[in-house]
Amino acid sequence: MALVSPAQIMTMDECMSYAVEHSVSVGKQENALDNARMNYRESVASLFPSVSAGVSASTNFGRSIDPETNSYTTVTTFSNSYSLSASMPLFAGLRYVNGMRAAKVARARGYSDLQVARDRVAMDVMRAYIDVLYYKGAVTIAGEQLAEARMQLQQAQALFDCGRKSAAEVAEVSSQEANYDYLLTEQQNNLAMAWIRLRDAMNYPQESTLDVVDCGSSEIVPQDVHEESVVQQALAGNVKVVSSELAVKEYRLHYLRAKGAWFPTISLSAGISTNYYTNFDNRYAYPGFSSQFKNNRGEYIGVSMSIPIFSNLSRLSSVRSSRNALRNAELDLAATRNAVESEVVQACRQMKGYGMQYNLAMKKLAASQLAYDGIAAKFAEGLVTAIDLQSASTTLLQAKSDCLRSRLQYMIEKRMVDYYSGVPFVQGEN
């Protein structure tokens, strides 16, 4: 006997949290952030000396040069050497410093880009969640209207049997009942598609059961928010703007780093080495390993300077490419700021507009319900025609749909205004 598991009921915030946690795009951005952190560590390490050690060993057979007499001999010898060296850049046109600073900015930008990815996923889930709520409400409204139409069809048939309604009026009511039946099926299909889109946005298994709850308030008081204040707050702290600002800073440092290639490079190097040599035919002709290892040791320290003169225009191309990248980043920043400002103004005004529409729609719904109830009572007594009933029913259906749509749209815009005011979509995220 198969047991059907109950549907998991989730609120909008829970759906957004689940989506952010299981999102593929967020996971990729986390990997990109990890790469940025490693690049920063690598750039910091480039300022420290590089140390290397080497060991070599060789055996010569036949004719070779005696290292003691520097003459040719025909013997079998063995030699090996040991070395330890270190080098450190003293000055390179601030390329390493600017590279480290750019990597640090890139790491900070990675955190902002990660939050942008999270917000984008949460926003997609929010809209898909609202679509599910709307079509759930639409299915409920269509089902109620269908039930009313079927009851009225029974009343019309009874009046027809009594001779108080004509066959044309009965056919009109039957047509209205069929129309609501079609509308219910259409809204059920729309709801099924909305569920698929929501699961896809959440990266939730399509075969798993899921249900959502409407946590929105039925009473809406339109808020008169100060648009300029929200705009300034969004331009100062929204992660999309912050990411664009960091991109400008990063590409400016890359530009300075590319210009640093025109300066000389000064490096410091030091090392120590020793070697050992023996003759297999006469092992006692040379000192022992420990003695040679100590006596053959040599040290060196030096400073070198490399002056760039010509490099096939590679430095010039690098500087111009970095400058163009900086200009593009500045243009992107201006576009992002304009887009954020437009989004904030639009969200504030739409939130206020949908709030007013919802309150007016509620008044319209109350009046339409009274009118429909009166006409339906008269229709049951045979005092009005089916056309009057259909007109009142259509008006009532539209009023219910308007109330549902305006309330849910208000929820979206209210959440967007809160987001641009500094309230994250998913609580607990930085």
Side-chain angles (χ1 to χ4, degrees), residues 129-268:
Y129 190 98
I130 292 298
D131 284 344
V132 170
L133 290 182
Y134 173 75
Y135 287 116
K136 285 184 67 176
V139 168
T140 301
I141 293 172
E144 293 173 351
Q145 294 298 111
L146 177 60
E148 287 285 335
R150 287 175 176 173
M151 182 185 66
Q152 291 160 3
L153 179 59
Q154 294 176 358
Q155 293 174 350
Q157 188 65 45
L159 293 174
F160 174 76
D161 295 338
C162 297
R164 298 174 61 183
K165 292 290 183 182
S166 65
E169 290 180 306
V170 175
E172 185 71 27
V173 177
S174 178
S175 174
Q176 183 177 352
E177 185 266 345
N179 180 62
Y180 285 132
D181 196 5
Y182 174 84
L183 178 62
L184 176 60
T185 303
E186 181 183 26
Q187 299 296 1
Q188 288 173 341
N189 291 333
N190 291 335
L191 177 60
M193 295 298 102
W195 276 120
I196 293 175
R197 290 192 295 271
L198 177 59
R199 290 190 180 95
D200 182 65
M202 294 174 57
N203 201 19
Y204 194 85
Q206 292 289 345
E207 66 276 4
S208 300
T209 55
L210 177 65
D211 198 6
V212 297
V213 292
D214 188 355
C215 299
S217 175
S218 59
E219 295 183 2
I220 295 177
V221 179
Q223 300 181 9
D224 190 12
V225 297
H226 193 266
E227 293 181 4
E228 187 64 25
S229 176
V230 180
V231 167
Q232 294 302 323
Q233 191 168 1
L235 294 179
N238 187 263
V239 288
K240 292 187 289 187
V241 178
V242 172
S243 178
S244 296
E245 292 174 345
L246 291 174
V248 172
K249 188 175 181 180
E250 178 186 354
Y251 285 112
R252 182 175 290 112
L253 290 171
H254 284 310
Y255 175 56
L256 295 176
R257 180 184 181 185
K259 292 175 64 176
W262 292 98
F263 292 88
T265 300
I266 302 176
S267 301
L268 173 67

Side-chain angles (χ1 to χ4, degrees), residues 50-360:
S50 59
V51 181
S52 60
V55 177
S56 65
S58 63
T59 300
N60 294 326
F61 303 92
R63 191 172 180 80
S64 63
I65 297 178
D66 189 329
E68 293 289 334
T69 62
N70 200 27
S71 60
Y72 285 97
T73 60
T74 305
V75 294
T76 302
T77 63
F78 171 80
S79 64
N80 69 336
S81 61
Y82 306 88
S83 63
L84 179 65
S85 61
S87 62
M88 178 180 179
L90 298 179
F91 178 77
L94 299 180
R95 282 180 294 169
Y96 294 105
V97 174
N98 288 327
M100 181 193 67
R101 295 169 62 191
K104 184 177 180 179
V105 174
R107 183 187 61 175
R109 183 186 173 195
Y111 284 104
S112 297
D113 290 341
L114 176 59
Q115 189 60 47
V116 169
R118 290 171 174 170
D119 292 343
R120 187 179 296 113
V121 170
M123 195 179 303
D124 293 340
V125 171
M126 177 184 67
R127 299 189 183 279
Y129 190 98
I130 292 298
D131 284 344
V132 170
L133 290 182
Y134 173 75
Y135 287 116
K136 285 184 67 176
V139 168
T140 301
I141 293 172
E144 293 173 351
Q145 294 298 111
L146 177 60
E148 287 285 335
R150 287 175 176 173
M151 182 185 66
Q152 291 160 3
L153 179 59
Q154 294 176 358
Q155 293 174 350
Q157 188 65 45
L159 293 174
F160 174 76
D161 295 338
C162 297
R164 298 174 61 183
K165 292 290 183 182
S166 65
E169 290 180 306
V170 175
E172 185 71 27
V173 177
S174 178
S175 174
Q176 183 177 352
E177 185 266 345
N179 180 62
Y180 285 132
D181 196 5
Y182 174 84
L183 178 62
L184 176 60
T185 303
E186 181 183 26
Q187 299 296 1
Q188 288 173 341
N189 291 333
N190 291 335
L191 177 60
M193 295 298 102
W195 276 120
I196 293 175
R197 290 192 295 271
L198 177 59
R199 290 190 180 95
D200 182 65
M202 294 174 57
N203 201 19
Y204 194 85
Q206 292 289 345
E207 66 276 4
S208 300
T209 55
L210 177 65
D211 198 6
V212 297
V213 292
D214 188 355
C215 299
S217 175
S218 59
E219 295 183 2
I220 295 177
V221 179
Q223 300 181 9
D224 190 12
V225 297
H226 193 266
E227 293 181 4
E228 187 64 25
S229 176
V230 180
V231 167
Q232 294 302 323
Q233 191 168 1
L235 294 179
N238 187 263
V239 288
K240 292 187 289 187
V241 178
V242 172
S243 178
S244 296
E245 292 174 345
L246 291 174
V248 172
K249 188 175 181 180
E250 178 186 354
Y251 285 112
R252 182 175 290 112
L253 290 171
H254 284 310
Y255 175 56
L256 295 176
R257 180 184 181 185
K259 292 175 64 176
W262 292 98
F263 292 88
T265 300
I266 302 176
S267 301
L268 173 67
S269 60
I272 182 172
S273 63
T274 186
N275 61 76
Y276 168 73
Y277 179 85
T278 187
N279 185 345
F280 286 135
D281 297 331
N282 187 7
R283 294 179 180 272
Y284 301 101
Y286 301 94
F289 176 83
S290 60
S291 178
Q292 290 193 46
F293 188 87
K294 179 180 179 181
N295 296 331
N296 294 341
R297 186 179 63 188
E299 299 88 6
Y300 73 91
I301 184 172
V303 178
S304 62
M305 181 173 65
S306 174
I307 302 175
I309 297 177
F310 181 72
S311 59
N312 299 326
L313 301 180
S314 61
R315 285 189 295 270
L316 178 62
S317 299
S318 177
V319 170
R320 296 188 63 176
S321 298
S322 301
R323 184 185 59 188
N324 291 334
L326 173 60
R327 291 174 177 176
N328 289 336
E330 292 172 343
L331 293 174
D332 291 339
L333 174 59
T336 300
R337 292 176 66 89
N338 291 334
V340 168
E341 183 176 1
S342 299
E343 291 171 4
V344 171
V345 173
Q346 180 180 351
C348 291
R349 296 183 181 179
Q350 285 189 340
M351 182 189 71
K352 182 178 179 180
Y354 284 125
M356 296 174 62
Q357 288 182 18
Y358 175 74
N359 291 329
L360 293 175

